């Protein structure tokens, strides 16, 4: 079992940076950030592997950065140049033995 706890969401104006954190209850390997905009499907934002390889959705490339501190069992999502369309509930996700684990989510609202 893995527990994931996200934090750092809030209400910000467009262009203001925001950083999210996801703390895991145990050391994990690959982990990703997802988001679910209001009325839309959940979508992948960024992933990071155990060796630090990263990948991003096209919509956030160049603006968001995913990173991890393995010792702290924490993954971060630095979000710069935020846009109103980044408004969503952000979740972190990992898989262990083929089973997906999700955090409770943290809400990000970007005003124009």
């Amino acid at each position: 079992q893995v527990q994931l706890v996200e934090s750092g969401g809030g209400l910000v104006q467009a262009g203001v940076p925001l950083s999210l954190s996801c703390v895991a209850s145990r050391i994990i390997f690959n982990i990703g950030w997802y988001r679910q905009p209001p009325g839309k499907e959940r979508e992948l934002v960024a992933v990071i592997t155990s060796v630090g390889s990263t990948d991003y959705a096209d919509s956030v490339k160049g603006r968001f950065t995913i990173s991890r501190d393995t010792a702290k069992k924490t993954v971060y999502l630095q979000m710069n140049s935020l846009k109103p369309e980044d408004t969503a509930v952000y979740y972190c996700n990992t898989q262990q033995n083929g089973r997906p684990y999700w955090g409770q989510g943290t809400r990000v609202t970007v005003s124009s």
Side-chain angles (χ1 to χ4, degrees):
Q1 283 243 342
V2 179
Q3 283 79 48
L4 302 170
V5 180
E6 303 96 335
S7 63
L11 170 64
V12 297
Q13 287 191 324
V16 176
L18 196 64
S19 181
L20 306 182
S21 299
C22 172
V23 180
S25 59
R26 56 186 294 180
I27 292 177
I28 52 180
F29 300 105
N30 302 335
I31 190 166
W33 281 99
Y34 287 72
R35 68 185 181 186
Q36 187 163 16
K40 296 185 178 181
E41 297 289 317
R42 195 170 296 189
E43 61 186 15
L44 178 65
V45 176
V47 293
I48 187 166
T49 70
S50 58
V51 296
S53 298
T54 59
D55 198 12
Y56 299 89
D58 288 343
S59 59
V60 306
K61 278 181 181 176
R63 300 189 299 122
F64 291 10
T65 302
I66 189 171
S67 62
R68 67 189 301 162
D69 185 328
T70 301
K72 294 183 178 179
K73 295 176 285 186
T74 301
V75 176
Y76 306 96
L77 187 67
Q78 176 65 40
M79 305 185 293
N80 297 327
S81 303
L82 280 164
K83 305 175 182 179
E85 51 264 44
D86 294 317
T87 294
V89 179
Y90 284 72
Y91 301 88
C92 55
N93 163 270
T94 190
Q95 291 206 0
Q96 295 267 315
N97 299 319
R99 176 184 170 180
Y101 291 90
W102 296 91
Q104 82 289 350
T106 186
R107 185 175 301 276
V108 173
T109 303
V110 184
S111 63
S112 57

